[in-house]
């Protein structure tokens, strides 16, 4: 089934939302994304192989982060697209969200490595946190967005922390 038809058919679409992998794609993240029809990456990807692995068999949307090097020059710093009947805007740093959000249902950003989820002016603002290296003593997190008939539900996913060796 074409993922663009999910909104019209009343079926649910699961979207993995991640950010700040910094070149690390944890097995737990791969396992969760395999159960999703699309992946949104909020930047600081780390290397091309991350996108290649995430995109296998699913649609992927990604933005360039402040730590993505020359390899990521072709990745836009801002994405605006329609998926599962919702209008998305994705940036790496929240300060780069455009002023005009007319028609936007979901704003996704990363950068801080801190999970946050809030409704502002009727739209979802979501930072899935970081799911690469643990930084700034933050937890490792991501999110799964389930959309059914244009209505979204967010599930925060807490990932296991690395064991100290």
């Amino acid at each position: 089934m074409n993922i663009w038809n999910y909104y019209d058919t009343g079926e649910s679409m699961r979207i993995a939302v991640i950010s700040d992998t910094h070149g690390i794609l944890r097995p737990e993240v791969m396992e969760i994304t395999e159960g999703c029809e699309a992946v949104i990456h909020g930047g600081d990807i780390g290397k091309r192989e991350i996108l290649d692995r995430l995109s296998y068999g699913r649609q992927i949307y990604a933005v360039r982060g402040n730590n993505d090097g020359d390899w990521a020059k072709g990745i836009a710093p801002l994405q605006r697209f329609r998926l599962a009947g919702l209008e998305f805007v994705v940036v790496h740093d929240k300060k780069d969200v455009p002023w005009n959000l007319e028609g936007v249902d979901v704003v996704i950003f990363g950068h801080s490595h801190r999970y946050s989820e809030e409704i502002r002016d009727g739209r979802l603002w979501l930072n899935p946190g970081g799911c690469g290296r643990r930084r700034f003593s933050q937890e490792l997190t991501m999110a799964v967005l389930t959309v059914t008939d244009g209505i979204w539900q967010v599930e925060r996913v807490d990932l296991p922390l690395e064991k100290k060796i």
Side-chain angles (χ1 to χ4, degrees):
M1 170 185 270
N2 183 333
I3 64 172
W4 303 107
N5 292 333
Y6 273 76
Y7 180 69
D8 299 330
T9 64
E11 294 184 37
S12 290
M13 180 178 203
R14 289 174 46 90
I15 305 165
V17 183
I18 65 175
S19 188
D20 296 283
T21 49
H22 291 278
I24 296 174
L25 192 52
R26 298 174 175 281
E28 300 89 354
V29 172
M30 275 306 294
E31 184 178 323
I32 293 164
T33 61
E34 286 170 4
C36 296
E37 290 81 23
V39 177
I40 298 172
H41 196 304
D44 277 355
I45 302 156
K47 55 186 175 181
R48 166 66 59 197
E49 294 82 23
I50 299 288
L51 296 180
D52 293 341
R53 289 183 59 205
L54 287 170
S55 65
Y56 185 77
R58 68 193 62 80
Q59 190 71 27
I60 187 162
Y61 301 88
V63 294
R64 184 176 61 245
N66 61 302
N67 287 307
D68 289 321
D70 287 344
W71 71 270
K73 283 183 181 176
I75 299 173
L78 181 144
Q79 292 272 0
R80 186 171 179 155
F81 55 90
R82 192 158 189 81
L83 180 64
L86 299 176
E87 187 75 19
F88 288 80
V89 163
V90 183
V91 296
H92 180 60
D93 192 333
K94 187 176 182 179
K95 70 177 180 56
D96 296 324
V97 172
W99 288 100
N100 182 359
L101 292 175
E102 185 177 335
V104 173
D105 300 297
V106 181
V107 176
I108 294 174
F109 56 97
H111 188 58
S112 72
H113 294 249
R114 181 177 301 134
Y115 186 95
S116 68
E117 172 187 333
E118 71 175 292
I119 308 301
R120 227 187 305 160
D121 297 326
R123 64 182 57 89
L124 172 64
W125 289 70
L126 177 63
N127 181 337
C131 62
R133 263 186 211 90
R134 186 171 183 211
R135 299 181 69 178
F136 315 119
S137 299
Q138 300 292 338
E139 298 179 59
L140 298 172
T141 59
M142 63 178 286
V144 175
L145 187 62
T146 303
V147 182
T148 306
D149 292 327
I151 299 173
W152 47 262
Q153 179 179 358
V154 181
E155 174 190 353
R156 174 183 166 148
V157 179
D158 291 291
L159 302 165
L161 299 176
E162 304 108 355
K163 295 177 183 171
K164 291 189 178 186
I165 300 174

